[in-house]
Amino acid sequence: MLYAVVSGFGAALVAPLIHQSVRRWSGWLLVLLPLALFGYFASHMEQISDGEKIAFAYTWVPSLDVELAFMLDGLSLLFVLLVSGIGALIVLYGSAYLADHPQLGRFYAYLLMFMASMLGVALADNLITLFIFWELTSISSYLLIAFKHDYESSREAAKKALIVTGAGGLALLAGLILVGIEADTWTISELASRKDVIQEGGLYLPALLLILVGCFAKSAQFPFHFWLPYAMEAPTPVSAYLHSATMVKAGVYLLARLHPSLGGTDEWHAIVTGVGGLTMLIAGFIAWQHTDLKKILAYTTISALGILVFLLGIGTGLAVKGAMIFLLVHSLYKGALFMVAGSIDHETGTRDIAQLGDLAKSMPFTAVGAGLAALSMAGLPPLLGFIGKEIIYEATQEAHDLLPLVLTAAALLANIFNVAAAAMVTLKPFTGQAAHTPKHPHEAPLAMWIGPVVLGGFTLAFGVASNLLLKDFFAQTVAAVYGKPYEVKLGLWHGLNTTLVLSVVTLVAGGLLYAYLRQILPIVKPLNVGEKLGPDRLYDIGFEGILDFASLTERFFQNGHLRYYLMTIIFTLSSLLILTMTTQIDFDSIQLNVDDVLLHEYLLAGLMIAAAITITMTSSRLMAVAALGVVGYSVALLYVFYGAPDLAMTQFSIETLSVVVLVLVLYRLPKFKDFSTPRSRARDGIIAVMFGGLVTTLILIITSEPLQSRLSPYFAENSYVLAKGHNVVNVILVDFRGFDTMGEITVLGVAAIGIFALLKLRPSSRKEE
Amino acid sequence: MNILLILPILVPFITAILCLFFWGRVHFQERLTVAGMLILLIIGIALLSDVHENGIQTAQLGSWEAPFGITFAADMLSSIMVTITGLMGLMTALYSVVGMDETRERFGYYPLLNILLMGVCGAFLTGDVFNLYVWFEVMLIASFVLLALGGERAQLEGAIKYVTLNLVSSAIFLMATGILYSVTGTLNMADLHLVVGDVKQPGLVTVLAMMFLVAFGIKAAIFPLFFWLPASYHTPPVAVTTIFSGLLTKVGVYALIRFFTLIFVHDTNYTHTLILIASGFTMVVGVFGAVSQLEMRRLLSFHIVSQIGYLLMGLGIFTAASLAASIFFMVHVIIAKSALFLVSGVVNRLSGTYDLKKLGGLYKASPTLSILFFVPAMALAGIPPLSGFWAKFALVRAGLEAEDYLIVAISLFVSVFTLYSMIKIWSEAFLKKPKVTPGQINFREADWLQMLFPLAVLAGLTLVLGIAVDPVYQLAQEAAEQLMNPTLYVTTVLGGE
Amino acid sequence: MPSLILSTATRYLLPLMLLFSVFVLIRGHNEPGGGFIGGLVASTAYALYAISSGVEKARAALPIEPRYIIAVGLGIAVTSGMISMILGDPFMTSQWLDTVFPVIGKVGTPVMFDTGVYLVVIGVTLTIIFNLAEGE
Amino acid sequence: METVLAFVIGILFAVGIYLMMRRSLVKLIIGLGVLGHAANLLIFTVGRLTRGEPPLIGKHEEVLSGTFADPLPQALILTAIVIGFGVQVFAAVLIKSAYRIVGTDDLDEMKSTDETQP
């Protein structure tokens, strides 16, 4: 099974090369991979339907408890079949849709990478492995949305999609880790058995919320749904594949997958059902107000995802069954409709339904696919969509623990919107009067109409023979989500009951909505503030706000003034020292001891202080250098007084050299100018004095205790005996700690090279790179 | 005495001296340097495997027993860092052969590069506080010169800030070292671990911890001490920026990790909480700086700051898991960030600018370069299965396990903006239609390949580290366990007991 | 205009001061002094010569580029450390010859190391002073 | 004497920091010099002062005995002085070059590398 996942990535790597060598036939060649995968997974159908589970695990990162674990059960099988099956159709479709595009090779690469990632998500049985593939779907979808990269709108749409799903992904990561920590396992199939541990732990609610944010962002649930309509900037094959049939369902998939371990609590019911319900209504309401085919489809997709989430939130066996059937229903018809929309766009040059009509004549095959799909979407018998809708109504009516009436009403409303939208995307373009389109319409190539027709065919077949084809398999799918076995019966006829009435009401109301669209639109338009003030705007304002704040912060801290940088550093150090010293230091131990100080020592100290003050006061450079020299020579003198002749000699000679160099350097520099204001001088003065005071205090504290050197006695004893030198300081320098000296002369050498280079290598003497 | 501990100093040092002798012969220096770096890398790997097999290794320089002489000690952390130093040195040297202008090469570029690496290796291996100061200075002076080499206005302006603030750091470091000796009577780190507890005024040890925190914090570019970095890192040629970004701040982080696991562990509630606070601010302010930039190298420079926050986060949480995560993060970020800086160099070679507003069209112009940018960029953003994901995952997991929820939340928040800024470069420099048409790839094929080679290696490594993560992560875990159990280090260095 | 007296004086002073610097270097192991201070004395001599007679002459009086003196100094220092490695001891373990030479005294690698320091200091100081003086 | 020096060092640090916070390049370099002296003096002082007894082993003795100044801080300071010298001379030349290129001594004129908008 690992190969099944990895093969997609491998194929992605070579796809551009294959495309380069076979050009026209690359689509037909590359489709073999998804087809083969479809066949491979389909071959397990019987086993799975019998209730078996197929699991594989490979060690990957044992040090972080991540194994490459895969499991095929009813739920994942449904997903991988959709992903590989629709994937095959899309590869073909894309090969024709983008036939002349110079970057078609890259398109294949991204598409196959996406497919492989999606398979990984559906198959993963380790929380982190799942997350890895999850993120890969985000990245590959980013690349696909930005495919038309010359357009700013594409780039921005892709960015928005990535940021929203990426941020959601990070929340998800945190959530998954919390679950992993709480459950003490990272294997997904083991989580259900630790349901109690997870749900009773203190981390349940944060973990749940974080995971839900991730799922909702991915599956375009309110209030994270806004990226999806933008993502329609992608080439239509991408929209058909990612943004309707597969990727956006990853969030739904994960909800379904974690339902046995996280579901069933009050929080789950409230949040998941609520968000799903809200999403299906809001998006459904917006859908039929658009005229762009892809926009309509995008909003109905969001609405459909809302229905799925809504059902999973209810979480009864019936609701889960409804969710799973509807998931299949939606993937089939929405994939088909997107491809149809792309074909129409491709062949007529527009996808504005106001400009379209009577295409059934010129595009007969496409029309068949579109018709079947739309009927399923509207929920007419004998198509699978009808069955799906019936189960939904059954499920809402039976949700006794919650509010069955409210739920049913919401589902009814969402479905009515759906019917109207279905009518809009097919009746309008394919029937009625022919309209003038930018291109003269004619049938799309085989590679493009085969997809809708095949998907439409499946919808029909599944609808007619639902019990035969889907019963056993869906029993397993539902069991995987529901967490216990559940009997699944499917069929078109359930008798005359409320559900049927609801179905009829849905159709009639939907039809009316479509028929009186022109009258209704002006009434509802003012209600539709969501698009202007909704989460999309909030996101823009919020994100821009953060970016503005960021650049404000940047300009505040990185302001270009060295003195502020320095001030911040000194201030930080001083604050830390004050904080530490006031809380942890015993100041009583300080002893001010000046009894032994000799007169000349006082004089020396006075000289140093006077010289230091002179430096700050003088306006002459030479005076400052001279005063600096005085400080240096005084230090040297101090070394003489206190038993450090080597130091004194070094200090004397270095000081002389420094003064010479400084004079040479400063010779050409201008006079001291007072740039700063009195106020800033006062402020700097305070900070400087504060720091100086801290240092003084510190020295006083330290010198109040005697020093017990652990090292010097050894040097005193062994300097001559072992190192053969009478001058201990020199012996330390060249022997005991000779390595320090090695570093020291290296510093000197480098400084000399640097000075040489600075003085001799000037930009003017250098030709431009 | 394990000779592997000294060779990482000697090899670049001798290479540098030879380069000085062959001052005028630039091409010979190139070859010499590449060879030297290769040897350094091999030594690093040998040292790593030696420490892995036989535990912590030490060398007493001049045969003077610890703590009286200078001790070199290599635990897993040191060995990992030396290895990565060798790798970075080799990649930078290879890139420089084509990517560095000959004028700079004539003015001592190669000897300086070697000495820089010598200082870095010395800092990673020494077990003596004052000796660490010396290696810091070796590294610093070499970096000063490399930064200013060429003498362009931006370089000089950047260098003044860099030099001044780093000298302040050195002065604080020196003060702290002097005080450390006067309080404890020793300079050997292992010995210090034993005696800091005996200091009569325990508060003084915390005061020292603060001084070292600030001194190393400046070098590591943590908040609010990082200003020198964004002011200067984008000014020298890209090869120099690359080696700086890869190694210099990391030496600061290394020193922080070393000191705050070995010496200053008496009051972790106070010290490590401060580190954690600093880490949060560093991440946020760094990434805020990055998203505000329109110059590619400046953007990347601010990211260095932000990433330092992540490295500190592991130290601040202070568990074996979090330290392991930080160490792995360090390896990852050195590789990924260097790759990105090298890409910016190639971008500049093609388009003549680093300005995102002017750049564009590279996605069409060079698919190879596009991949070589996209992979490390996504690695930096923490996208799986690249190296950065594991680093982030391990860190977040360690944080959640330690129940440090706030810092985890901050790190994830920052992560979104890291992604955003990488996408910004991608979108502007690669996808967008260009204002300045990228030049034809008009240098010789061999030069082009040679420029891309180190890039490909580094970008490839982010992928390899992501897929074959376990062996490396185990090394990081081993390193972290050694750090959390300092007795091991202490007994190995001081012998006996 | 360099004064004649000064330039004549420094011409004779130069060898004397160089000799003195070597003396400071050698006695450093036992008395205050050593390679560093010795190197400074020597370079001061050259610096004086440069000031009195001009940089070109001072450069000419030097057998090689100061930069190479640095390289040689660093080379000697590192070699002195490596001698012990060849003999099987850790890096920088001091090795002494048993014979005591007149004037120089005991000869060993630490003395050699100090000589390296001495040369580096000369090279560095001269590089700085020559280049700075020429820059004006 | 430590007490007196504590105040001297404190003043030197304050002066050094104050000078470095000026806008003038020249003051910056002089400030660095003062800071260097302060740091060295600090190590010397906290290493404890011993009047007049250098750590030299007498001609005919084998070990250092009696009171003597601690040789280790001296060795450290010597190294620090030399390193400080190298670094500061380099910094001085750097400032000279910057002055030559930028044409002013005013640090506020040297902000171009921190400006976001090029």
Side-chain angles (χ1 to χ4, degrees), chain A residues 60-66 103 106 110 128 131-132 135-136 139 142-143 146 149-150 155 159 162-163 166-167 170 173-174 177-178 181 186 203 543 546-547 549-551 553-554 557-558 560 562 565-566 568-570 572-573 576-577 579-581 584-586 589 691 695 698 701-702 705-712 714-715 722-723 735-740 742-744 746-747 750-751 753-754 756-758 760-763 765-767 769, chain B residues 13 20 23 61 64 67-70 72 101 103-104 107 112 115 118 128 130-131 134-135 137-138 141-142 145 149-152 156 161 164-165 168 172 179 181-182 184-187 191 195 200-201 203-204 206-207 210-211 214 218 223-227 230-231 267 270 274 288-289 291-293 298 302 363-364 367 374 378 383-384 389-390 392-393 396-397 400-401 405 412 415-417 420 423 426-427 431-433 466-467 469-470 473 477:
Chain A
W60 187 11
V61 194
S63 45
L64 285 167
D65 302 321
V66 177
Q103 293 168 357
R106 296 184 203 180
Y110 301 156
I128 303 308
F131 180 78
I132 288 170
E135 289 286 90
L136 278 173
I139 285 297
Y142 167 78
L143 292 167
H149 55 85
D150 280 342
R155 297 195 301 269
K159 199 190 283 177
L162 184 61
I163 296 295
L170 291 168
L173 177 64
I177 295 175
L178 285 179
I181 292 174
W186 300 86
L203 295 175
F543 202 75
I546 295 178
L547 292 184
F549 179 68
S551 92
T553 326
E554 192 260 346
F557 284 116
Q558 200 67 32
L562 179 58
Y565 300 166
L566 201 63
T568 316
I569 287 173
I570 296 299
T572 308
L573 177 60
L576 287 175
L577 288 182
L579 183 69
T580 314
M581 282 161 76
Q584 306 200 11
I585 292 281
D586 169 23
S589 65
F691 184 67
V695 173
L698 203 54
I701 295 165
I702 294 162
E705 300 282 343
L707 163 62
Q708 294 294 325
S709 176
R710 294 161 66 83
L711 309 180
S712 292
Y714 180 87
F715 298 143
L722 294 178
D735 202 337
F736 290 121
R737 300 185 64 91
F739 219 33
D740 285 344
M742 183 99 87
E744 165 202 325
T746 312
V747 171
V750 174
I753 295 172
F756 169 71
L758 267 181
K760 292 295 154 82
L761 170 59
R762 302 185 181 184
S765 68
R766 218 159 51 82
K767 46 183 195 307
E769 283 172 55
Chain B
F13 193 32
L20 284 179
W23 182 258
L61 287 155
W64 302 110
F68 306 112
I70 291 173
F72 262 43
D101 57 310
T103 339
R104 284 190 173 90
F107 279 84
L112 291 169
I115 287 180
M118 168 196 177
D128 184 279
F130 188 77
N131 196 239
V134 173
W135 294 123
E137 294 301 298
V138 170
I141 186 83
V145 182
L149 192 65
E152 280 160 27
L156 295 177
K161 288 166 189 163
T164 310
L165 298 179
V168 170
I172 299 169
I179 296 176
Y181 173 74
S182 75
T184 62
T186 186
L187 290 168
D191 204 24
V195 298
K200 287 222 181 79
Q201 280 246 35
L204 270 180
T206 318
V207 168
M210 292 302 111
M211 294 176 82
V214 171
I218 296 174
F223 179 87
L225 315 164
F226 63 81
F227 311 108
D267 191 8
Y270 183 68
L274 270 176
F288 275 6
V291 295
S292 313
Q293 301 306 315
R298 268 186 69 97
F302 270 105
Y363 181 68
K364 271 189 196 137
F374 198 73
M378 289 302 107
I383 298 296
F389 166 72
W390 297 104
K392 185 172 73 183
F393 165 59
V396 167
R397 183 178 161 186
L400 290 176
E401 276 169 349
Y405 299 119
L412 290 175
S415 192
V416 176
F417 288 87
Y420 169 79
I423 288 298
W426 175 251
S427 190
L431 297 185
K432 189 182 68 187
K433 274 187 192 160
I467 290 174
V469 52
D470 204 57
Y473 201 82
Q477 279 182 328

Side-chain angles (χ1 to χ4, degrees), chain B residues 335-354:
Chain B
I335 292 171
K337 186 52 72 53
S338 308
L340 290 174
F341 270 115
L342 290 182
V343 170
S344 77
V346 180
V347 167
N348 185 48
R349 269 308 253 288
L350 286 176
S351 309
T353 178
Y354 294 99

Side-chain angles (χ1 to χ4, degrees), chain A residues 189-267:
Chain A
S189 48
E190 286 173 13
L191 288 178
S193 63
R194 312 204 184 171
K195 181 178 179 175
D196 298 340
V197 184
I198 299 171
Q199 298 198 348
E200 277 152 29
L203 295 175
Y204 170 69
L205 191 59
L208 177 68
L209 287 175
L210 288 166
I211 289 174
L212 289 182
V213 167
C215 291
F216 291 167
K218 193 80 164 182
S219 282
Q221 295 299 294
F222 183 84
F224 309 112
H225 64 280
F226 54 88
W227 63 268
L228 187 62
Y230 287 100
M232 295 300 139
E233 285 290 339
T236 305
V238 174
S239 312
Y241 193 32
L242 275 64
H243 304 128
S244 67
T246 56
M247 185 184 83
V248 288
K249 296 216 170 69
V252 174
Y253 168 80
L254 189 57
L255 285 183
R257 182 51 85 201
L258 295 178
H259 181 256
S261 44
L262 296 180
T265 59
D266 292 344
E267 294 93 337

Side-chain angles (χ1 to χ4, degrees), chain A residues 287-548:
Chain A
W288 46 268
Q289 301 179 33
H290 279 277
T291 59
D292 177 349
L293 270 177
K294 280 182 81 174
K295 277 270 158 67
I296 301 173
L297 292 175
Y299 278 106
T300 53
T301 302
I302 299 176
S303 174
L305 294 167
I307 294 176
L308 291 172
V309 170
F310 171 77
L311 289 170
L312 287 173
I314 297 172
T316 58
L318 202 53
V320 169
K321 176 176 133 189
M324 291 302 108
I325 291 286
F326 187 65
L327 188 134
L328 175 63
V329 172
H330 177 254
S331 297
L332 294 176
Y333 78 65
K334 196 52 72 60
L337 286 177
F338 261 109
M339 286 193 250
V340 168
S343 297
I344 293 176
D345 190 12
H346 201 254
E347 303 307 326
T348 68
T350 180
R351 43 177 215 235
D352 184 349
I353 54 170
Q355 294 184 38
L356 294 164
D358 199 28
L359 291 175
K361 281 202 195 86
S362 47
M363 304 176 73
F365 296 112
T366 309
V368 170
L372 287 170
L375 290 177
S376 182
M377 178 172 172
L380 278 167
L383 293 142
L384 187 59
F386 174 72
I387 301 175
K389 193 169 56 183
E390 295 264 292
I391 306 174
I392 295 173
Y393 285 143
E394 281 174 32
T396 52
Q397 291 171 70
E398 273 186 24
H400 298 302
D401 297 346
L402 306 165
L403 301 161
L405 252 162
V406 178
L407 297 182
T408 310
L412 179 67
L413 201 56
N415 273 317
I416 292 171
F417 294 150
N418 222 17
V419 171
M424 284 172 74
V425 294
T426 41
L427 288 181
K428 186 74 188 57
F430 284 100
T431 63
Q433 274 193 320
H436 183 73
T437 52
K439 281 203 261 181
H440 185 68
H442 50 76
E443 184 55 276
L446 165 72
M448 282 172 70
W449 60 254
I450 193 166
V453 170
V454 168
L455 293 179
F458 270 115
T459 312
L460 183 63
F462 286 151
V464 175
S466 56
N467 228 11
L468 181 71
L469 293 175
L470 301 177
K471 186 179 154 228
D472 292 342
F473 172 46
F474 266 81
Q476 297 307 320
T477 309
V478 173
V481 182
Y482 189 46
K484 37 193 171 237
Y486 188 81
E487 200 189 344
V488 171
K489 263 189 266 168
L490 297 166
L492 290 166
W493 182 250
H494 297 269
L496 260 171
N497 53 17
T498 333
T499 311
L500 191 64
V501 176
L502 285 170
S503 274
V504 175
V505 172
T506 313
L507 268 178
V508 173
L512 287 173
L513 181 58
Y514 173 66
Y516 292 98
L517 196 58
R518 208 168 294 175
Q519 285 78 11
I520 297 173
L521 269 181
I523 307 172
V524 298
K525 263 272 147 58
L527 292 174
N528 194 4
V529 290
E531 268 175 293
K532 286 192 189 62
L533 287 170
D536 188 17
R537 284 291 293 152
L538 276 180
Y539 165 84
D540 283 344
I541 294 169
F543 202 75
E544 292 300 320
I546 295 178
L547 292 184
D548 287 346

